[in-house]
Amino acid sequence: MSQNDSLYADFCELAEDIIHSLVADPESVNVGFHRSEDTIRVEILAPKAMIGMIVGRNGDTVRALQRVLYCQARNASLASRVFVTWDPTDAPVGSRREEDDEDDGE
């Protein structure tokens, strides 16, 4: 595994740890990653009831999450842009599923 791959794996683990710590039932939340040349997209898939915990009032929590992930990606020279997306589902809490919407950071 190259150093860049290791740094990307650490980035993904950090994102998952933070996102799972925000919700009551971490098993209900799936986090996916899509990487291009200078962008990382973090996709959060969770039941509708969990999305509010991740987004926060007026989007404050997800903006803070995006800022932390952006700083980590820039510091590790992984990407110059990080997007956090989510898509609430109607899946009940406790069932595994994925989600997506958008917010961007610089």
Side-chain angles (χ1 to χ4, degrees):
M1 179 185 279
S2 73
Q3 181 180 3
N4 197 28
D5 290 340
S6 177
L7 291 171
Y8 182 66
D10 290 345
F11 172 88
C12 294
E13 184 177 346
L14 174 67
E16 288 178 333
D17 288 348
I18 293 171
I19 293 164
H20 287 149
S21 72
L22 294 172
V23 297
D25 183 11
E27 294 295 315
S28 296
V29 179
N30 290 323
V31 182
F33 301 92
H34 300 281
R35 186 177 182 193
S36 66
E37 188 173 312
D38 68 340
T39 303
I40 299 173
R41 181 174 301 278
V42 180
E43 294 183 349
I44 303 169
L45 307 163
K48 197 180 280 188
M50 297 282 173
I51 292 297
M53 295 177 200
I54 297 166
V55 173
R57 181 168 287 132
N58 297 319
D60 293 341
T61 303
V62 78
R63 275 194 298 278
L65 169 66
Q66 185 168 353
R67 176 58 65 189
V68 167
L69 296 178
Y70 166 77
C71 290
Q72 177 65 22
R74 289 287 295 205
N75 189 42
S77 300
L78 294 172
S80 60
R81 299 181 338 181
V82 174
F83 297 95
V84 177
T85 64
W86 65 93
D87 183 17
T89 67
D90 292 328
V93 172
S95 66
R96 295 197 46 99
R97 181 131 173 174
E98 305 183 355
E99 318 207 357
D100 173 89
D101 193 0
E102 84 149 25
D103 202 359
D104 63 41
E106 297 174 11

XYZ file of all heavy atoms in Angstrom:
823
model
N 0.854 -1.173 0.000
C 0.000 0.000 0.000
C 0.899 1.235 0.000
O 1.803 1.349 0.808
C -0.900 -0.027 1.238
C -1.823 1.169 1.334
S -2.794 1.258 2.854
C -4.117 0.152 2.506
N 0.643 2.164 -0.906
C 1.448 3.383 -0.984
C 1.077 4.325 0.171
O 0.036 4.160 0.815
C 1.217 4.079 -2.316
O -0.051 4.691 -2.334
N 1.920 5.307 0.391
C 1.647 6.269 1.453
C 0.347 7.022 1.163
O -0.452 7.264 2.064
C 2.789 7.258 1.614
C 2.526 8.251 2.729
C 3.645 9.242 2.919
O 4.616 9.237 2.194
N 3.495 10.102 3.912
N 0.122 7.373 -0.105
C -1.101 8.070 -0.476
C -2.336 7.210 -0.195
O -3.344 7.706 0.300
C -1.052 8.491 -1.949
C -2.077 9.546 -2.272
O -2.466 10.333 -1.421
N -2.515 9.560 -3.508
N -2.249 5.915 -0.497
C -3.364 5.002 -0.205
C -3.612 4.908 1.297
O -4.749 4.853 1.749
C -3.092 3.608 -0.770
C -3.145 3.574 -2.284
O -3.734 4.487 -2.892
O -2.583 2.623 -2.863
N -2.531 4.880 2.057
C -2.632 4.817 3.512
C -3.283 6.082 4.067
O -4.137 6.022 4.955
C -1.247 4.614 4.128
O -1.324 4.608 5.523
N -2.889 7.242 3.539
C -3.478 8.509 3.977
C -4.964 8.570 3.623
O -5.782 9.063 4.412
C -2.735 9.685 3.346
C -1.304 9.911 3.837
C -0.617 10.960 2.982
C -1.295 10.309 5.299
N -5.325 8.058 2.439
C -6.724 8.035 2.033
C -7.525 7.098 2.942
O -8.649 7.429 3.349
C -6.856 7.631 0.567
C -8.274 7.634 0.065
C -8.988 8.819 -0.038
C -8.903 6.446 -0.315
C -10.303 8.832 -0.498
C -10.202 6.454 -0.782
C -10.893 7.646 -0.872
O -12.195 7.650 -1.325
N -6.969 5.953 3.282
C -7.637 5.019 4.192
C -7.845 5.671 5.559
O -8.917 5.525 6.176
C -6.836 3.729 4.324
N -6.846 6.412 6.037
C -6.969 7.130 7.310
C -8.063 8.195 7.228
O -8.836 8.385 8.166
C -5.649 7.793 7.704
C -4.580 6.791 8.101
O -4.911 5.608 8.353
O -3.396 7.201 8.154
N -8.129 8.908 6.098
C -9.159 9.918 5.879
C -10.547 9.278 5.959
O -11.441 9.791 6.639
C -8.964 10.584 4.513
C -10.082 11.507 4.123
C -10.054 12.840 4.495
C -11.161 11.041 3.381
C -11.091 13.694 4.148
C -12.202 11.885 3.029
C -12.170 13.219 3.414
N -10.724 8.160 5.268
C -12.021 7.466 5.251
C -12.400 6.990 6.650
O -13.555 7.117 7.066
C -11.982 6.301 4.277
S -11.804 6.796 2.549
N -11.429 6.459 7.373
C -11.692 5.984 8.729
C -12.092 7.147 9.636
O -13.027 7.032 10.435
C -10.459 5.284 9.287
C -10.689 4.679 10.656
C -9.476 3.924 11.172
O -8.550 3.632 10.402
O -9.467 3.626 12.385
N -11.404 8.282 9.516
C -11.756 9.466 10.301
C -13.181 9.906 10.002
O -13.975 10.150 10.920
C -10.786 10.612 9.993
C -11.132 11.959 10.630
C -10.986 11.891 12.142
C -10.261 13.061 10.047
N -13.535 9.997 8.725
C -14.885 10.414 8.335
C -15.933 9.473 8.915
O -16.932 9.920 9.498
C -14.998 10.471 6.814
N -15.722 8.174 8.772
C -16.685 7.200 9.302
C -16.803 7.308 10.816
O -17.913 7.269 11.360
C -16.275 5.780 8.907
C -16.497 5.490 7.441
C -16.042 4.102 7.035
O -15.123 3.550 7.685
O -16.589 3.584 6.063
N -15.677 7.445 11.504
C -15.710 7.553 12.965
C -16.502 8.772 13.419
O -17.321 8.694 14.338
C -14.293 7.609 13.537
C -13.560 6.282 13.471
O -14.200 5.242 13.194
O -12.328 6.287 13.692
N -16.262 9.908 12.792
C -16.986 11.130 13.170
C -18.473 10.984 12.883
O -19.315 11.278 13.742
C -16.412 12.359 12.441
C -14.989 12.657 12.922
C -17.318 13.576 12.664
C -14.274 13.715 12.110
N -18.815 10.531 11.682
C -20.224 10.402 11.299
C -20.947 9.412 12.213
O -22.039 9.692 12.711
C -20.353 10.005 9.820
C -19.864 11.167 8.949
C -21.788 9.616 9.467
C -19.575 10.806 7.516
N -20.345 8.269 12.475
C -20.985 7.280 13.346
C -21.130 7.786 14.776
O -22.066 7.390 15.487
C -20.217 5.955 13.307
C -20.417 5.221 12.021
N -19.449 4.417 11.475
C -21.469 5.163 11.163
C -19.899 3.897 10.347
N -21.120 4.341 10.138
N -20.238 8.668 15.214
C -20.343 9.194 16.578
C -21.486 10.205 16.718
O -21.904 10.512 17.833
C -19.020 9.840 17.010
O -18.810 11.061 16.337
N -21.997 10.705 15.608
C -23.074 11.697 15.648
C -24.462 11.098 15.802
O -25.405 11.816 16.122
C -23.050 12.537 14.365
C -21.830 13.425 14.158
C -21.868 14.041 12.757
C -21.760 14.503 15.223
N -24.616 9.806 15.570
C -25.944 9.193 15.539
C -26.137 8.190 16.668
O -25.180 7.661 17.225
C -26.202 8.496 14.181
C -26.180 9.504 13.049
C -25.203 7.390 13.925
N -27.403 7.940 16.970
C -27.744 7.004 18.042
C -27.507 5.550 17.648
O -27.191 4.718 18.501
C -29.203 7.198 18.445
N -27.666 5.238 16.365
C -27.514 3.869 15.890
C -26.532 3.826 14.715
O -26.942 3.859 13.556
C -28.869 3.309 15.468
C -28.810 1.862 15.025
O -27.768 1.209 15.227
O -29.819 1.380 14.473
N -25.225 3.747 15.004
C -24.219 3.772 13.936
C -24.374 2.655 12.911
O -23.994 2.821 11.753
C -22.887 3.626 14.681
C -23.176 3.981 16.088
C -24.624 3.686 16.319
N -24.942 1.540 13.289
C -25.131 0.419 12.369
C -26.121 0.754 11.252
O -26.121 0.106 10.212
C -25.605 -0.822 13.132
C -24.565 -1.374 14.093
C -23.334 -1.894 13.363
O -23.489 -2.594 12.354
O -22.223 -1.580 13.813
N -26.950 1.775 11.458
C -27.941 2.169 10.458
C -27.377 3.109 9.404
O -28.070 3.455 8.455
C -29.118 2.875 11.139
O -29.779 1.992 11.997
N -26.157 3.553 9.597
C -25.564 4.559 8.722
C -24.446 3.935 7.893
O -23.538 3.307 8.428
C -25.007 5.736 9.550
C -24.363 6.763 8.645
C -26.111 6.362 10.386
N -24.523 4.115 6.589
C -23.457 3.692 5.678
C -22.772 4.931 5.138
O -23.426 5.920 4.825
C -24.011 2.882 4.506
C -24.517 1.529 4.940
O -23.940 0.891 5.803
N -25.609 1.095 4.335
N -21.464 4.852 5.026
C -20.690 5.967 4.497
C -19.899 5.452 3.305
O -19.206 4.438 3.406
C -19.735 6.539 5.568
C -18.980 7.737 5.019
C -20.494 6.909 6.839
N -20.030 6.134 2.177
C -19.301 5.760 0.974
C -18.394 6.904 0.536
O -18.603 8.061 0.907
N -17.395 6.559 -0.256
C -16.421 7.554 -0.702
C -16.190 7.415 -2.197
O -16.110 6.306 -2.717
C -15.086 7.349 0.030
C -15.212 7.464 1.519
C -15.443 6.334 2.289
C -15.126 8.689 2.149
C -15.577 6.427 3.659
C -15.258 8.792 3.521
C -15.493 7.660 4.277
N -16.099 8.559 -2.859
C -15.777 8.599 -4.281
C -14.654 9.614 -4.438
O -14.787 10.764 -4.014
C -16.991 9.005 -5.120
C -18.130 8.065 -4.968
N -18.180 6.861 -5.625
C -19.245 8.131 -4.213
C -19.286 6.234 -5.287
N -19.944 6.979 -4.422
N -13.577 9.185 -5.054
C -12.401 10.041 -5.179
C -12.074 10.269 -6.647
O -12.029 9.338 -7.444
C -11.225 9.359 -4.488
C -9.980 10.184 -4.422
C -8.921 9.432 -3.643
N -7.718 10.211 -3.527
C -6.566 9.724 -3.131
N -6.472 8.448 -2.804
N -5.515 10.491 -3.055
N -11.839 11.529 -6.997
C -11.345 11.872 -8.326
C -10.016 12.596 -8.143
O -9.483 12.647 -7.038
C -12.355 12.735 -9.083
O -12.491 13.983 -8.457
N -9.509 13.164 -9.187
C -8.181 13.767 -9.156
C -7.980 14.738 -7.992
O -7.001 14.666 -7.271
C -7.919 14.477 -10.473
C -6.509 14.974 -10.607
C -6.253 15.516 -11.985
O -6.595 14.837 -12.966
O -5.721 16.626 -12.070
N -8.905 15.678 -7.799
C -8.732 16.670 -6.739
C -9.948 16.804 -5.830
O -10.073 17.770 -5.090
C -8.397 18.034 -7.345
C -9.566 18.620 -8.119
O -10.461 17.847 -8.499
O -9.576 19.843 -8.336
N -10.847 15.817 -5.863
C -12.091 15.893 -5.101
C -12.371 14.580 -4.394
O -12.145 13.506 -4.947
C -13.278 16.213 -6.044
O -13.008 17.432 -6.730
C -14.578 16.342 -5.284
N -12.873 14.680 -3.178
C -13.389 13.514 -2.455
C -14.844 13.806 -2.131
O -15.171 14.861 -1.588
C -12.605 13.233 -1.159
C -11.140 12.932 -1.466
C -13.262 12.078 -0.392
C -10.263 12.803 -0.232
N -15.719 12.887 -2.490
C -17.136 12.995 -2.146
C -17.436 11.943 -1.087
O -17.168 10.762 -1.276
C -18.032 12.777 -3.358
C -19.520 12.904 -3.036
C -20.389 12.819 -4.257
N -20.079 13.849 -5.236
C -20.528 15.113 -5.176
N -21.286 15.484 -4.179
N -20.212 15.974 -6.120
N -17.983 12.415 0.035
C -18.381 11.537 1.133
C -19.898 11.420 1.065
O -20.602 12.426 1.187
C -17.943 12.119 2.501
C -18.362 11.206 3.636
C -16.439 12.381 2.525
N -20.399 10.217 0.850
C -21.840 9.991 0.743
C -22.342 9.308 2.003
O -21.847 8.243 2.369
C -22.150 9.131 -0.477
C -21.837 9.810 -1.780
C -22.223 8.977 -2.971
O -22.542 7.786 -2.810
O -22.207 9.535 -4.082
N -23.317 9.920 2.628
C -23.894 9.391 3.858
C -25.266 8.822 3.535
O -26.130 9.524 3.004
C -24.013 10.480 4.930
C -22.639 11.102 5.192
C -24.636 9.914 6.200
C -22.684 12.355 6.029
N -25.461 7.570 3.856
C -26.722 6.876 3.604
C -27.269 6.399 4.948
O -26.636 5.589 5.621
C -26.467 5.706 2.666
C -25.743 6.114 1.380
C -25.147 4.916 0.690
C -26.675 6.866 0.490
N -28.432 6.923 5.321
C -28.991 6.616 6.641
C -30.495 6.820 6.631
O -31.025 7.523 5.769
C -28.354 7.517 7.692
N -31.183 6.239 7.618
C -32.617 6.497 7.738
C -32.879 7.988 7.967
O -32.054 8.699 8.548
C -33.026 5.681 8.968
C -31.988 4.623 9.081
C -30.718 5.253 8.593
N -34.022 8.428 7.517
C -34.409 9.835 7.607
C -34.242 10.375 9.033
O -33.772 11.501 9.227
C -35.860 9.983 7.156
C -36.262 11.383 6.805
C -37.710 11.440 6.364
C -37.832 11.009 4.919
N -39.186 11.227 4.383
N -34.576 9.577 10.019
C -34.485 10.019 11.415
C -33.052 10.328 11.838
O -32.826 11.147 12.726
C -35.077 8.951 12.335
N -32.084 9.691 11.207
C -30.676 9.898 11.563
C -30.064 11.108 10.851
O -29.102 11.694 11.334
C -29.843 8.670 11.202
C -30.220 7.434 11.935
S -29.544 7.497 13.575
C -30.321 6.060 14.257
N -30.592 11.470 9.710
C -30.013 12.559 8.922
C -30.002 13.868 9.710
O -29.039 14.627 9.656
C -30.741 12.712 7.572
C -30.465 11.499 6.689
C -30.333 13.999 6.864
C -29.012 11.305 6.312
N -31.063 14.126 10.462
C -31.119 15.351 11.267
C -29.981 15.437 12.266
O -29.455 16.521 12.530
N -29.568 14.310 12.817
C -28.447 14.293 13.754
C -27.138 14.632 13.053
O -26.245 15.234 13.634
C -28.329 12.918 14.412
C -29.479 12.540 15.279
S -29.211 10.872 15.909
C -30.868 10.427 16.344
N -27.021 14.209 11.810
C -25.794 14.434 11.050
C -25.742 15.857 10.496
O -24.706 16.516 10.540
C -25.665 13.397 9.918
C -25.543 11.991 10.513
C -24.486 13.716 9.012
C -25.751 10.868 9.521
N -26.868 16.342 9.994
C -26.908 17.675 9.395
C -26.878 18.757 10.472
O -26.181 19.751 10.341
C -28.147 17.826 8.487
C -28.297 19.250 7.992
C -28.058 16.851 7.323
N -27.628 18.561 11.544
C -27.677 19.544 12.622
C -28.590 20.710 12.297
O -29.057 20.871 11.172
N -28.810 21.531 13.304
C -29.684 22.693 13.139
C -29.058 23.660 12.136
O -27.907 24.036 12.263
C -29.890 23.376 14.485
C -30.804 24.568 14.415
C -31.213 25.055 15.780
N -32.178 24.103 16.334
C -32.114 23.596 17.559
N -31.135 23.923 18.362
N -33.028 22.756 17.984
N -29.809 24.014 11.128
C -29.364 24.930 10.065
C -28.123 24.430 9.327
O -27.398 25.219 8.735
C -29.094 26.329 10.630
C -30.333 26.963 11.207
O -31.408 26.855 10.630
N -30.195 27.611 12.345
N -27.845 23.132 9.390
C -26.702 22.575 8.680
C -25.360 22.789 9.361
O -24.312 22.515 8.778
N -25.387 23.271 10.604
C -24.139 23.584 11.308
C -23.237 22.366 11.491
O -22.023 22.454 11.302
C -24.427 24.204 12.676
C -25.064 25.582 12.566
O -24.961 26.198 11.489
O -25.659 26.044 13.558
N -23.803 21.233 11.842
C -22.991 20.044 12.111
C -22.335 19.530 10.841
O -21.142 19.224 10.822
C -23.848 18.939 12.758
O -24.450 19.467 13.953
C -23.004 17.732 13.130
N -23.090 19.432 9.760
C -22.520 18.916 8.516
C -21.481 19.884 7.952
O -20.475 19.465 7.369
C -23.608 18.549 7.485
C -24.172 19.764 6.783
C -23.065 17.557 6.477
N -21.679 21.196 8.160
C -20.659 22.160 7.716
C -19.370 21.996 8.517
O -18.268 22.068 7.951
C -21.178 23.591 7.814
C -21.972 24.008 6.592
C -22.197 25.505 6.527
N -22.978 26.024 7.649
C -24.293 25.993 7.719
N -25.000 25.447 6.740
N -24.917 26.498 8.753
N -19.496 21.769 9.813
C -18.313 21.537 10.638
C -17.615 20.238 10.228
O -16.377 20.184 10.139
C -18.699 21.492 12.116
N -18.395 19.200 9.968
C -17.840 17.931 9.494
C -17.086 18.145 8.192
O -15.949 17.680 8.030
C -18.967 16.913 9.286
C -18.601 15.625 8.546
C -17.628 14.806 9.358
C -19.862 14.831 8.227
N -17.694 18.857 7.281
C -17.057 19.095 5.996
C -15.768 19.891 6.158
O -14.768 19.612 5.504
C -18.010 19.833 5.068
C -17.444 20.008 3.687
C -18.483 20.469 2.704
O -19.656 20.540 3.015
N -18.045 20.769 1.515
N -15.752 20.854 7.039
C -14.540 21.654 7.275
C -13.416 20.784 7.833
O -12.274 20.878 7.380
C -14.857 22.815 8.216
C -13.666 23.654 8.618
C -12.928 24.268 7.471
N -13.754 25.216 6.773
C -13.435 25.793 5.620
N -12.298 25.516 5.037
N -14.244 26.627 5.041
N -13.729 19.928 8.798
C -12.713 19.033 9.363
C -12.159 18.109 8.282
O -10.939 17.929 8.158
C -13.292 18.207 10.539
C -12.371 17.072 10.935
C -13.568 19.113 11.735
N -13.044 17.515 7.487
C -12.602 16.596 6.438
C -11.810 17.323 5.356
O -10.822 16.793 4.841
C -13.798 15.855 5.840
C -14.540 14.941 6.823
C -15.734 14.295 6.136
C -13.608 13.903 7.419
N -12.222 18.525 5.021
C -11.485 19.323 4.047
C -10.068 19.608 4.553
O -9.090 19.437 3.818
C -12.226 20.636 3.768
C -11.383 21.642 3.036
C -11.152 21.513 1.672
C -10.806 22.715 3.707
C -10.363 22.435 0.994
C -10.024 23.631 3.038
C -9.799 23.484 1.691
O -9.013 24.394 1.034
N -9.957 20.019 5.804
C -8.634 20.308 6.380
C -7.757 19.060 6.382
O -6.563 19.131 6.062
C -8.776 20.871 7.787
S -9.478 22.530 7.829
N -8.328 17.930 6.717
C -7.574 16.673 6.714
C -7.116 16.319 5.297
O -5.970 15.931 5.087
C -8.412 15.545 7.304
C -7.748 14.193 7.285
C -6.510 14.131 8.169
O -6.340 14.914 9.083
N -5.632 13.182 7.881
N -8.006 16.451 4.327
C -7.669 16.117 2.936
C -6.577 17.044 2.410
O -5.642 16.594 1.738
C -8.911 16.198 2.058
N -6.682 18.335 2.694
C -5.654 19.284 2.239
C -4.322 19.030 2.938
O -3.274 19.057 2.304
C -6.104 20.732 2.506
C -7.211 21.212 1.626
C -6.749 21.466 0.236
N -5.796 22.566 0.222
C -5.567 23.333 -0.803
N -6.235 23.122 -1.919
N -4.690 24.293 -0.754
N -4.365 18.799 4.241
C -3.148 18.563 5.008
C -2.405 17.327 4.513
O -1.176 17.304 4.479
C -3.483 18.422 6.495
C -2.256 18.394 7.359
O -1.321 19.162 7.145
N -2.258 17.521 8.347
N -3.156 16.301 4.098
C -2.556 15.059 3.602
C -2.321 15.099 2.092
O -1.918 14.097 1.502
C -3.449 13.878 3.958
N -2.592 16.230 1.468
C -2.456 16.394 0.007
C -3.269 15.365 -0.772
O -2.843 14.856 -1.804
C -0.983 16.322 -0.407
O -0.241 17.341 0.217
N -4.470 15.079 -0.276
C -5.350 14.106 -0.931
C -6.286 14.762 -1.937
O -6.600 14.183 -2.972
C -6.194 13.361 0.103
C -5.446 12.455 1.059
C -6.392 11.949 2.148
C -4.816 11.296 0.304
N -6.788 15.949 -1.612
C -7.763 16.616 -2.466
C -7.837 18.092 -2.114
O -7.537 18.478 -0.984
C -9.143 15.971 -2.296
N -8.256 18.895 -3.073
C -8.438 20.320 -2.814
C -9.912 20.666 -2.591
O -10.230 21.794 -2.255
C -7.880 21.150 -3.966
O -8.545 20.829 -5.167
N -10.791 19.669 -2.775
C -12.222 19.870 -2.531
C -12.793 18.630 -1.865
O -12.448 17.513 -2.222
C -12.964 20.135 -3.834
C -12.476 21.363 -4.540
C -13.202 21.679 -5.811
N -13.884 20.545 -6.414
C -14.555 20.615 -7.534
N -14.655 21.736 -8.182
N -15.140 19.555 -8.035
N -13.693 18.855 -0.896
C -14.392 17.765 -0.224
C -15.874 18.121 -0.207
O -16.245 19.226 0.175
C -13.879 17.557 1.223
C -14.728 16.525 1.948
C -12.412 17.144 1.225
N -16.690 17.205 -0.657
C -18.138 17.371 -0.635
C -18.725 16.301 0.277
O -18.321 15.144 0.214
C -18.745 17.211 -2.028
C -18.273 18.260 -2.997
C -17.212 18.003 -3.839
C -18.893 19.493 -3.047
C -16.765 18.960 -4.727
C -18.460 20.460 -3.938
C -17.393 20.197 -4.778
N -19.687 16.699 1.098
C -20.423 15.752 1.932
C -21.846 15.739 1.415
O -22.489 16.784 1.319
C -20.388 16.159 3.418
C -21.232 15.203 4.254
C -18.949 16.191 3.934
N -22.336 14.567 1.046
C -23.691 14.448 0.511
C -24.495 13.477 1.360
O -23.937 12.591 2.013
C -23.667 13.977 -0.954
O -23.127 12.671 -1.031
C -22.845 14.917 -1.821
N -25.807 13.639 1.364
C -26.689 12.741 2.102
C -28.024 12.662 1.396
O -28.381 13.553 0.644
C -26.864 13.200 3.555
C -27.555 14.508 3.698
C -28.895 14.718 3.870
C -26.960 15.800 3.664
N -29.169 16.070 3.935
C -27.982 16.750 3.817
C -25.657 16.255 3.508
C -27.748 18.113 3.833
C -25.426 17.622 3.523
C -26.458 18.528 3.686
N -28.735 11.585 1.650
C -30.044 11.373 1.047
C -30.879 10.568 2.030
O -30.660 9.373 2.179
C -29.895 10.621 -0.276
C -31.214 10.427 -0.989
O -32.186 11.126 -0.658
O -31.265 9.569 -1.872
N -31.799 11.205 2.725
C -32.607 10.471 3.704
C -33.470 9.401 3.051
O -33.973 9.591 1.954
C -33.465 11.549 4.352
C -33.366 12.735 3.488
C -32.150 12.594 2.624
N -33.580 8.292 3.730
C -34.424 7.204 3.247
C -35.578 7.009 4.212
O -35.585 7.534 5.319
C -33.639 5.888 3.157
O -33.296 5.477 4.471
C -32.389 6.044 2.323
N -36.521 6.227 3.794
C -37.644 5.896 4.664
C -37.376 4.631 5.453
O -38.258 4.122 6.132
C -38.921 5.731 3.841
C -39.373 7.054 3.248
O -39.130 8.094 3.894
O -39.941 7.059 2.150
N -36.152 4.116 5.357
C -35.803 2.896 6.090
C -35.901 3.175 7.584
O -35.484 4.228 8.058
C -34.393 2.452 5.736
N -36.455 2.246 8.344
C -36.533 2.440 9.788
C -35.143 2.409 10.415
O -34.225 1.808 9.879
C -37.376 1.253 10.264
C -37.244 0.239 9.192
C -37.021 0.984 7.918
N -35.012 3.078 11.546
C -33.752 3.055 12.272
C -33.428 1.605 12.607
O -34.293 0.832 12.984
C -33.864 3.894 13.565
C -32.629 3.728 14.423
C -34.089 5.348 13.213
N -32.199 1.224 12.410
C -31.789 -0.148 12.681
C -31.614 -0.971 11.421
O -31.015 -2.025 11.450
N -32.128 -0.496 10.275
C -31.908 -1.215 9.029
C -30.776 -0.536 8.285
O -30.646 0.680 8.307
C -33.178 -1.220 8.176
O -33.474 0.079 7.750
N -29.921 -1.293 7.638
C -28.763 -0.726 6.950
C -29.176 -0.231 5.574
O -29.793 -0.937 4.824
C -27.657 -1.757 6.863
C -27.175 -2.079 8.250
C -25.863 -2.746 8.344
N -24.802 -2.230 7.559
C -23.849 -1.415 8.004
N -23.885 -0.982 9.226
N -22.863 -1.060 7.224
N -28.798 1.018 5.270
C -29.121 1.628 3.993
C -28.257 2.854 3.770
O -27.637 3.335 4.689
C -30.594 1.982 3.992
C -30.988 2.580 2.729
C -32.165 2.019 2.120
N -32.363 2.930 1.023
C -33.213 2.814 0.103
N -33.995 1.825 0.099
N -33.311 3.681 -0.849
N -28.238 3.458 2.577
C -27.370 4.588 2.257
C -28.129 5.829 1.791
O -29.219 5.715 1.296
C -26.368 4.165 1.183
C -25.601 2.947 1.597
C -24.543 2.555 0.581
O -24.456 3.157 -0.494
O -23.803 1.633 0.886
N -27.459 7.063 1.868
C -28.105 8.326 1.517
C -27.205 9.379 0.898
O -26.023 9.272 0.948
C -28.743 8.897 2.763
C -29.397 7.801 3.517
C -30.526 8.259 4.350
O -30.803 9.446 4.404
O -31.122 7.410 4.933
N -27.779 10.567 0.407
C -26.997 11.530 -0.391
C -27.666 12.909 -0.560
O -28.795 12.961 -0.902
C -26.765 10.825 -1.733
C -26.131 11.619 -2.799
O -24.916 11.616 -2.864
O -26.869 12.174 -3.607
N -27.008 14.075 -0.298
C -27.389 15.469 -0.612
C -26.109 16.266 -0.694
O -25.067 15.686 -0.701
C -28.366 16.039 0.431
C -29.029 17.326 0.020
O -28.761 17.818 -1.092
O -29.822 17.866 0.782
N -26.091 17.567 -0.693
C -24.797 18.198 -0.935
C -24.478 19.367 -0.045
O -25.313 20.059 0.453
C -24.647 18.626 -2.379
C -25.271 19.941 -2.613
C -24.569 20.733 -3.696
O -23.920 20.179 -4.566
O -24.709 21.937 -3.627
N -23.183 19.570 0.098
C -22.585 20.683 0.798
C -21.131 20.706 0.352
O -20.533 19.672 0.184
C -22.716 20.457 2.305
C -22.620 21.746 3.096
O -22.428 22.815 2.500
O -22.714 21.656 4.306
N -20.539 21.863 0.121
C -19.151 21.853 -0.337
C -18.252 22.679 0.578
O -18.703 23.518 1.296
C -19.029 22.342 -1.785
C -19.453 23.766 -1.979
O -19.138 24.625 -1.136
O -20.098 24.023 -2.974
N -16.956 22.390 0.522
C -16.019 23.084 1.389
C -14.788 23.538 0.652
O -14.418 23.003 -0.356
N -14.148 24.561 1.208
C -12.915 25.063 0.614
C -11.939 25.348 1.694
O -12.196 25.537 2.798
C -13.214 26.319 -0.193
C -14.148 26.005 -1.337
C -14.580 27.248 -2.087
O -14.035 28.331 -1.899
O -15.496 27.119 -2.889
